[in-house]
Amino acid sequence: MQLLHGSRLLRGAACTARLTKLNSPDLRLHATQRRWRTSLDFNALDTKWRQKWKTELQPPASKTKPQYVLPMFPYPSGTLHLGHLRVYTIADVVARYRKLKGDDVVLPMGWDAFGLPAENAALERGIPPGEWTTSNIARMKEQLEVMNGSWDWDRELTTCDPNFYKHTQKLFLMLHERGLAYQAEAEVNYDPIDKTVLANEQVDADGCSWRSGAKVEKRKLRQWFFKISEFQEALLNGLHELEKDGAWPKMVVSQQRNWLGKSTGATVKFPVMALGHSVGTAIEVFTTRPDTLFGVQYIALAATHPTVRQLAKADPELQAFLDTLPGLPADSKVGYLLPGLRAVNPLAYHEETPDATKASLPVYVASYVLGDYGEGAVMGVPGHDVRDHAFWTKHHADEPVRMVLAASEDESTTVMKNEPYIGEGTLTEHSGPYEGKSSTVAAEMIVKMLEHAGLATSVEKWRLRDWLISRQRYWGAPIPIVHCDSCGAVPVPDEDLPVKLPEVEWAGGKTGNALETSSEFVETTCPKCKGPAKRDTDTMDTFVDSSWYYARFADPQNAKELLSAEAAQALPVDVYLGGIEHAILHLLYARFIYKFLASTNVLPQYSEDQVAAAEPFQRLITQGMVQGRTYSDPDTGKFLKPDEVDLSDPSKPTVVATGREANMTFEKMSKSKYNGVDPTEFIAKYGADPTRAHIIFQAPVADLLNWDEEKISGVTRWLKRLHDQVSEIGEASTGPSVKDVLSERHSHLATMDKEELAQWDADSTVWREVQKSIKSVTGTYDEIYYINTVVSDLMSLTNVMAGQKNASPVVRQQAAVELTRMLAPIAPAVAEECWSILCPGTGSVFSSKFPETDGSEVLVQPREQTWTVQVNGKQRGVVEIAPPPDALSDEELGPWMTEAILKTDLGRRLSGEDSAPNAEGAKRKGNNNKSQPVDLRAAKRVIPLRHARRVAYVV
């Protein structure tokens, strides 16, 4: 037996004497008094260590690529909510962990400060949007400061700062120079309340603005676009790499792929017969399923189709129908049959085509047909498309659905009465000469035949449209273009950037674009001819700012360039964290801009053949929403304010006014539901570290988090208990490692007495749990999504240490050191305090290294394991025996186990060698009869199972 005391290694009696002293009543009383003196004040710890971090922990100056950890920067709306607290806590945990692993870490913070909310707030309050934004940033920055984050404030940026949007304007000009920023006449989505244009992505499924909720109008305006379609193949192909090894969530990758919407098919011409109308000779339809052409039973057009617009001029009923469409739900199947207009299936001209396919087709205007996909026209195939089937059965309930495709050849005559068959398969008898052919073969043959007749063209279609960036609002980055009657659209020279927003009067202001009425801003001179000219009065979509801000963080003070070539080496971002609601808009635009920058000298690390594969975010972590406890009146459904609910019995909340039991649900936090929680108030009440640990512990990162304040008490007690243990343990000794100490003692196991073996068991139990925790916690921090289990692992380790008070000081001290390092990313102030006790004078815990397993697992295996013994299916008792050697084969394991059981008291009783009665068994049976002895060696087999239950079956 041995014990490390100071720098001396104590063995045998000396070690025992030292342990006796350590466990004496006087020492235990001293430890109790010390615990009382070190009662933990979390808020005081926060203040103490935040001050030290400001003066002692400086950002890294290494020239190697740092670990770049980035949460999506917030919009400065006024205050942070718990959703912010969650994502920023997770980001800080990841960053602190990477620092402990020895990496230089970049964890910046900034403000997505342009946008409609600030402008609308300015109009409501009569103050400039910059003033409103700046005051919000100050409040939110104060909130971030109290959460014990490790933000690199030297890199702070604000997108409404001219020093930032100067470079946003430069980015626009770089795109313009390459022909990737252009102006075009286009039908746009116009928000009549916010009085601005919206991108397609900013209009919801009901045709409403994502900001104001107003029904969006369609208008023709000259607008600025970014040619994102130039990179559509690269954007699609890049998803293959991003989905490998779970680098990006599958749901996000799927949403991006669907939004890009690559389709391979054919454009098919349906000749038109028109009575009294001049609508052209054919309607073109894009289809990905030419194998179903024989099943077309109608044609449906979008409201914006040129034919529809033309006919509406002379058809008041049609125009009235079109006026109703914006108010209809997305799944509406209403339609308007165009009178005097019929279409002809191009296959009708083939002599072997069945008569049903040769019949002329009705033409409808249908709300479910989108004008921005394909040609704004759909060939209705009720037998093989769900939407077409629903539309047909609504308008032609008495007419049969034609099935031209079956799952297999022997089902070719099967009639599916109630639902369409949407898969590929074998063409039926209704497909004329193509009966019996597979979908793939038939589609190719049909398209080739129609191409030869000039009635079809093989094409590739994309759902993606070029990014409309024009906004007719003041609070955004002005588009750096001057319009001259002589020279046209002229870029603003670099030396004249930034084009700054002018000061305008906001008191009593009106919606619309304040830039248009600012003569000071509009009137200018042409950079080319020096004649009179006008500035462009559109500003850029705020998604332009967020499409490249992550790159600016690498070099935020650079006045001349977007970022230097040296600073660019920090890119791409290693870990990007944020909400899944940005799966399409922000992430798609950021990927596009990054690929563009990779094609320029801004990101010189990418060669020409690497541009397509360049991605801004190596790994994407999406966190779940935080929901708050919400109370509502069971009679009215009205959400209840806190003072309208009686919570004297938390299990039965009641409505104060009526005494009725209130409904309790968890809902997305909002002011209207009175279920919000102010993070700053919560931290002031409980301390930053308990709050951080609580928000981490409640749920896996990607899951919804139902916020429950009551559960923080468990986390708080654990942190206090841990600090008490560390205070009791005191300063860690220097000397041989725990592994070396245990290795030397392990060689004497066979000669140890009972007391020494008890000491060994305590030490090995603690150190075994330490090694297990290091392995588990390291893997979890690396994986990120389940960091909630880090808290539970460390709680378990804390409990094991508390339960093994007679473990050697060297083991307890080093266990506390390793636990403190593992705790530091989640509860940094508590960890620093514990570190100052354990390792005084060694600086910050974040200047140390994250623990690694030391290979001692074999040494600290339990000397004995508990096994349950069953004989012929009946449990006969439990035994404590040494673990079976790992080298034993399955055949050798049975005999080994038999001999081990026979050496125990239970084994001797079972075999009849011990005649002492089984008192417990006799008492249970009500007599003194002993169980019949079992000849274990003569048993046919002994089956020991190598798993946690450890059951030995004797048959």
Side-chain angles (χ1 to χ4, degrees), residues 315-561:
D315 186 345
E317 289 188 24
L318 172 57
Q319 185 58 56
F321 171 79
L322 297 178
D323 292 341
T324 67
L325 295 183
L328 296 176
D331 60 351
S332 172
K333 298 306 174 197
V334 300
Y336 182 89
L337 178 63
L338 293 172
L341 192 65
R342 304 286 287 188
V344 178
N345 193 318
L347 294 174
Y349 299 102
H350 193 288
E351 59 183 16
E352 297 184 42
T353 294
D355 290 341
T357 301
K358 289 181 178 179
S360 65
L361 305 169
V363 181
Y364 286 89
V365 181
S367 62
Y368 78 94
V369 181
L370 303 177
D372 62 348
Y373 181 75
E375 308 297 331
V378 165
M379 61 181 208
V381 186
H384 305 290
D385 183 272
V386 174
R387 294 171 306 169
D388 296 349
H389 186 273
F391 185 86
W392 180 258
T393 53
K394 175 178 174 63
H395 294 276
H396 296 268
D398 297 332
E399 297 185 41
V401 171
R402 193 183 315 145
M403 309 297 296
V404 299
L405 200 62
S408 60
E409 190 169 356
D410 59 357
E411 295 176 331
S412 60
T413 57
T414 301
V415 176
M416 301 176 68
K417 297 179 180 180
N418 299 320
E419 59 182 276
Y421 173 68
I422 61 175
E424 295 187 345
T426 303
L427 273 67
T428 70
E429 60 183 358
H430 297 295
S431 298
Y434 299 94
E435 179 183 359
K437 297 189 182 301
S438 70
S439 289
T440 304
V441 172
E444 186 176 343
M445 293 176 68
I446 289 170
V447 172
K448 282 184 178 179
M449 180 189 71
L450 292 176
E451 280 182 325
H452 185 71
L455 292 171
T457 305
S458 295
V459 294
E460 186 177 271
K461 291 282 185 178
W462 293 77
R463 184 176 186 271
L464 179 71
R465 293 291 178 266
D466 283 343
W467 177 11
L468 191 158
I469 68 155
S470 287
R471 297 294 179 269
Q472 289 71 48
R473 295 305 295 252
Y474 169 88
W475 195 235
I479 289 177
I481 294 291
V482 169
H483 297 279
C484 174
D485 290 339
S486 300
C487 306
V490 181
V492 173
D494 286 359
E495 59 269 22
D496 292 339
L497 298 179
V499 176
K500 291 186 179 181
L501 291 168
E503 293 185 6
V504 298
E505 179 59 46
W506 291 96
K510 298 179 180 179
T511 55
N513 188 357
L515 295 181
E516 293 177 347
T517 57
S518 173
S519 58
E520 174 193 355
F521 177 81
V522 174
E523 303 299 333
T524 186
T525 57
C526 174
K528 273 189 177 181
C529 69
K530 308 304 179 184
K534 296 182 183 295
R535 292 193 188 279
D536 199 302
T537 56
D538 283 354
T539 55
M540 289 183 240
D541 179 10
T542 55
F543 281 110
V544 178
D545 304 322
S546 60
S547 72
W548 80 281
Y549 80 106
Y550 52 86
R552 183 63 179 174
F553 271 135
D555 199 7
Q557 311 306 328
N558 192 328
K560 295 182 179 180
E561 309 166 283

Side-chain angles (χ1 to χ4, degrees), residues 138-149:
R139 284 195 298 271
M140 294 171 75
K141 189 171 180 178
E142 287 176 2
Q143 288 182 288
L144 282 171
E145 291 278 42
V146 301
M147 62 171 287
N148 288 353

Side-chain angles (χ1 to χ4, degrees), residues 630-635 637 640 653 655 660-665:
T630 311
Y631 299 98
S632 60
D633 190 312
D635 298 320
L640 300 171
V655 182
R660 294 254 289 154
E661 186 171 351
N663 294 327
M664 195 286 290
T665 57

Side-chain angles (χ1 to χ4, degrees), residues 87 89 183 226 268 288 323 337 452 500 503 598 669 769 828 836 857:
V87 68
T89 298
Q183 200 173 22
F226 282 169
V268 180
T288 59
D323 292 341
L337 178 63
H452 185 71
K500 291 186 179 181
E503 293 185 6
M669 290 185 176
E769 188 68 19
S836 69
E857 292 92 337

